[in-house]
Amino acid sequence: MENMTGLRESKKLRTRRQLAATALELFLERGFDAVSVADVAAAAEVSKPTLFRYFPSKEDLVLDRFADHQDEAARIVRDRPAGLGPVGALHEHFRTALAERDPITGLCDHPNVLAFQRLLYSTASLESRIAHYTAREVELLAAALEAERVERLSARLAATHLVAVRHELGRENWRRIDAGSTAEEAYPAAVVDADRAFGMLAEGLDRTLGPLISRP
């Protein structure tokens, strides 16, 4: 029974990835608004109801990869070493990701990543749908802070600021790349921006959250 369940889950994952890959190829080729859900379903050789079982909206066909990162900030905060505040942990992680040219930081000039980001930031409905994923990211991070006995409102305010900083830094890095800079050329300014942005939060959030967090 466990083997059968595992096989079903593996098949679902493969189908999900195939649908997302097929959709992205069509969107990049023709433009997001010029491709319908029916077009994607036909290209992937599935029915529309099947497609909607995997993706509740057309936008989710593009943005589903963001779901893999929704718990990232919460996980970083939960797993941080003793003595390091939430802001410091996220700051360190972001700097490491910049050095690795992680696409989530916006500091990646691989052609496929650039094509995806141009599609994302040039399509109004995709930009609007990102808010759904951002809200979930905030909820998960706030829950991680509440688990450390931070009062609910303080946790949500802190999570909102921290998630916003990560997203805005990524968007600014993408703007540099889209304007013609290589990732290597943009890296020094990206580090400066990250240090300044997280530094601004550290002065307020870590000082405020510190007395509220019961960590050794």
Side-chain angles (χ1 to χ4, degrees), residues 7-23:
L7 288 172
R8 283 197 297 268
E9 291 305 314
S10 295
K11 183 178 179 180
K12 287 180 181 179
L13 181 59
R14 286 196 302 272
T15 300
R16 188 179 189 86
R17 288 175 174 171
Q18 178 193 357
L19 289 170
T22 299

Side-chain angles (χ1 to χ4, degrees), residues 94 98 102-108 117 121 163-177:
F94 195 86
L98 286 174
D102 188 328
I104 203 68
T105 67
L107 194 70
C108 181
Q117 290 176 326
Y121 294 127
V163 169
V165 160
R166 282 160 53 89
H167 282 267
E168 286 305 313
L169 287 172
R171 188 183 292 263
E172 184 61 25
N173 290 334
W174 173 77
R175 289 192 186 106
R176 291 190 177 101
I177 303 297

Side-chain angles (χ1 to χ4, degrees), residues 67-150:
D68 295 335
H69 294 276
Q70 285 183 107
D71 68 340
E72 186 175 72
R75 175 178 50 77
I76 292 164
V77 167
R78 284 196 305 269
D79 297 344
R80 73 189 189 278
L84 186 63
V87 179
L90 289 166
H91 184 188
E92 285 189 6
H93 182 272
F94 195 86
R95 284 198 57 154
T96 298
L98 286 174
E100 295 172 351
R101 307 297 190 264
D102 188 328
I104 203 68
T105 67
L107 194 70
C108 181
D109 51 15
H110 189 284
N112 291 344
V113 174
L114 285 177
F116 172 80
Q117 290 176 326
R118 288 193 184 107
L119 174 70
L120 178 62
Y121 294 127
S122 65
T123 307
S125 61
L126 291 175
E127 288 252 51
S128 297
R129 184 61 175 165
I130 288 176
H132 167 78
Y133 291 87
T134 300
R136 180 60 177 159
E137 191 175 355
V138 169
E139 287 177 10
L140 292 170
L141 179 52
L145 293 171
E146 286 188 63
E148 298 184 23
R149 300 183 184 178
V150 176

